[in-house]
């Protein structure tokens, strides 16, 4: 009973904060409406698939049927090679790993999945289908379904959070863990609860607890927020890295299912109580690569993860944003390769 009451109190506080940020966003949308009129509601019809998504150098498009869901993925490299499995974050899809797919297919069977609710993977309705446990279950199924009992597991942002959770529950499936600008879950929760800087940066998580408004905010003016996330000086990748075709690929991907399912990851993490997590030490060698210009997450959390991982390597990448694997791919790839060679 006490646990239920505590969850209810946290839920009321979360929604109250969400309503505050919702009012701020609504004010911004009203200003945009005054400036652009009906253009605020414009979204381009995208019937043609961007050619960059079918670049044969990135691999072949495939689907895999798991117990309750079908996932789309892109793979390259010889089947007999060790498996390197890539898990994307928000708001992304498999294409975020394009530089790594090219780099590591010589030595690995590289597989970049679309997580549930993204791009060409199934998108079941309902917040309950987007809990961390659901995505951890997807990884637990996909590794043996691809014919492996272990993999090098690589995750960014939300994908990295899921990879951390997977490593805590099923370390036997992981040869090496690599996270990119994705904090250890315990570290992040503690840091957000004790540091005003992180609380302010996490404002969108509270906004995403509201119905309808976050989806409209993400899709208005032809998904203007994707331009903000990837191209702006505050959040975006370095100038010249993201091409117009790359950005169009992201908008095409989100035109398939919209934003409700990806936003449901955030809603589920706040709204659905989980069993008390067992934050025992992560018992696999772990590399964290961190872009030091991340506007969404404080860099301090990357250092703090060492308390929970006995075999921990941290590489800070200067002049790199949250999208570190796209922002500085050569440096990121070199850190990954050096880490993997050092653990042979």
């Amino acid at each position: 009973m006490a646990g239920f009451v505590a969850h209810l109190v946290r839920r009321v506080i979360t929604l109250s904060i969400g309503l505050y940020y919702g009012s701020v966003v609504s004010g911004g949308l009203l200003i945009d409406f005054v400036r652009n009129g009906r253009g605020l509601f414009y979204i381009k019809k995208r019937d043609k698939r961007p050619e960059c998504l079918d670049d044969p150098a990135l691999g072949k498009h495939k689907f895999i049927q798991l117990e309750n869901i079908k996932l789309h993925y892109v793979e390259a490299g010889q089947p007999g090679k060790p498996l390197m499995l890539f898990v994307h974050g928000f708001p992304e899809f498999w294409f975020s790993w394009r530089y790594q797919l090219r780099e590591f297919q010589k030595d690995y069977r590289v597989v970049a999945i679309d997580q549930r609710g993204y791009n060409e993977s199934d998108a079941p309705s309902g917040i309950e289908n987007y809990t961390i446990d659901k995505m951890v279950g997807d990884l637990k199924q996909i590794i043996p379904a691809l014919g492996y009992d272990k993999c090098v597991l690589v995750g960014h942002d939300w994908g990295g959070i899921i990879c951390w959770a997977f490593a805590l529950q099923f370390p036997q499936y992981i040869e090496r863990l690599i996270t990119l600008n994705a904090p250890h879950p315990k570290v992040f929760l503690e840091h957000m609860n004790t540091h005003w800087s992180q609380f302010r940066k996490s404002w969108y998580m509270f906004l995403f607890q509201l119905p309808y408004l976050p989806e409209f905010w993400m899709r208005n003016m032809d998904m203007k927020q994707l331009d903000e996330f990837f191209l702006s000086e505050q959040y975006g990748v370095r100038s010249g890295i993201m091409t117009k075709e790359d950005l169009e690929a992201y908008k095409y991907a989100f035109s398939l299912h919209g934003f409700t399912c990806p936003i449901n990851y955030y809603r589920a993490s706040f709204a659905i109580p989980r069993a008390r997590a067992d934050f025992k030490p992560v018992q696999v060698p772990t590399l964290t690569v961190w872009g030091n210009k991340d506007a969404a997450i404080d860099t301090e959390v990357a250092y703090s993860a060492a308390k929970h991982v006995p075999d921990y390597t941290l590489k800070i990448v200067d002049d790199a944003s949250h999208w570190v694997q796209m922002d500085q791919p050569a440096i990121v790839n070199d850190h990954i390769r050096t880490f993997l060679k050092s653990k042979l």
Side-chain angles (χ1 to χ4, degrees):
M1 183 64 179
F4 172 78
V5 172
H7 172 73
L8 183 61
V9 170
R10 286 194 298 269
R11 188 67 183 146
V12 170
I13 294 172
T14 297
L15 289 174
S16 298
I17 298 171
L19 286 169
Y20 166 74
Y21 286 120
S23 67
V24 174
V25 167
S26 296
L29 291 171
L30 180 59
I31 292 172
D32 284 341
F33 180 73
V34 171
R35 291 173 176 172
N36 301 283
R38 294 175 62 184
L40 180 69
F41 303 93
Y42 169 73
I43 187 163
K44 177 182 174 182
K45 187 175 181 180
R46 290 177 166 86
D47 295 324
K48 185 178 180 181
R49 181 185 176 92
E51 292 182 3
C52 61
L53 295 180
D54 293 314
D55 182 351
L58 297 179
K60 297 179 179 179
H61 291 260
K62 295 185 177 181
F63 292 86
I64 191 163
Q65 181 65 53
L66 304 181
E67 184 177 346
N68 295 309
I69 200 162
K70 182 171 67 175
L71 299 184
H72 168 260
Y73 65 96
V74 171
E75 73 163 16
Q78 298 180 4
K81 297 287 187 178
L83 175 63
M84 182 179 285
L85 182 62
F86 295 94
V87 190
H88 68 81
F90 173 90
E92 303 178 86
F93 67 119
W94 73 265
F95 188 65
S96 297
W97 299 108
R98 54 196 178 278
Y99 297 104
Q100 288 68 47
L101 289 171
R102 289 190 179 97
E103 173 67 21
F104 292 103
Q105 62 182 270
K106 299 184 291 293
D107 302 305
Y108 292 87
R109 182 184 177 191
V110 290
V111 173
I113 65 171
D114 282 329
Q115 293 208 76
R116 56 170 61 203
Y118 283 87
N119 194 36
E120 297 183 68
S121 288
D122 284 351
S125 60
I127 296 174
E128 68 277 3
N129 284 303
Y130 296 94
T131 62
I132 289 178
D133 290 339
K134 291 287 186 181
M135 273 75 75
V136 165
D138 291 344
L139 293 184
K140 184 174 182 285
Q141 292 180 61
I142 198 170
I143 294 169
L146 290 169
Y148 292 84
D149 55 11
K150 283 195 172 187
C151 71
V152 174
L153 186 60
V154 188
H156 171 252
D157 184 77
W158 251 112
I161 297 293
I162 292 161
C163 290
W164 278 115
F166 186 75
L168 285 165
Q169 294 183 54
F170 303 107
Q172 67 271 26
Y173 286 93
I174 305 175
E175 194 72 38
R176 303 287 181 264
L177 174 64
I178 301 169
T179 64
L180 295 86
N181 283 73
H184 184 285
K186 180 177 176 61
V187 169
F188 181 74
L189 289 173
E190 291 175 346
H191 189 77
M192 189 167 73
N193 288 335
T194 56
H195 290 74
W196 177 244
S197 60
Q198 185 58 62
F199 185 85
R200 286 188 293 106
K201 290 178 181 179
S202 302
W203 69 273
Y204 61 94
M205 298 183 187
F206 296 97
L207 172 70
F208 285 175
Q209 303 312 304
L210 303 179
Y212 308 119
L213 178 61
E215 284 89 338
F216 180 73
W217 180 67
M218 288 295 300
R219 74 178 296 278
N220 82 89
M221 296 176 65
D222 197 33
M223 308 186 214
K224 184 182 72 171
Q225 284 307 314
L226 292 183
D227 298 60
E228 177 73 14
F229 288 149
F230 292 122
L231 300 180
S232 71
E233 184 176 345
Q234 180 180 7
Y235 293 104
V237 298
R238 289 181 301 129
S239 178
I241 298 295
M242 179 78 77
T243 68
K244 289 183 178 180
E245 188 180 23
D246 291 340
L247 184 59
E248 183 61 24
Y250 280 83
K251 292 187 176 183
Y252 173 83
F254 282 99
S255 72
L256 300 180
H257 294 310
F259 291 97
T260 295
C261 296
I263 290 173
N264 278 347
Y265 282 55
Y266 294 91
R267 289 172 174 148
S269 69
F270 278 75
I272 298 178
R274 297 186 70 204
R276 189 174 183 85
D278 180 9
F279 287 115
K280 57 185 181 294
V282 174
Q283 297 296 343
V284 294
T286 301
L287 167 68
T288 290
V289 180
W290 199 277
N292 71 342
K293 290 188 174 181
D294 193 326
I297 312 173
D298 289 342
T299 299
E300 294 94 309
V301 299
Y303 293 94
S304 300
K307 297 182 295 185
H308 304 281
V309 190
D311 189 349
Y312 185 65
T313 302
L314 172 63
K315 297 295 181 181
I316 302 295
V317 181
D318 294 331
D319 197 27
S321 68
H322 180 73
W323 324 104
V324 62
Q325 77 274 31
M326 296 186 285
D327 220 346
Q328 295 281 9
I331 295 174
V332 170
N333 292 347
D334 183 62
H335 285 321
I336 292 175
R337 188 170 292 283
T338 299
F339 171 73
L340 294 174
K341 286 182 177 179
S342 71
K343 299 300 177 180
L344 291 175

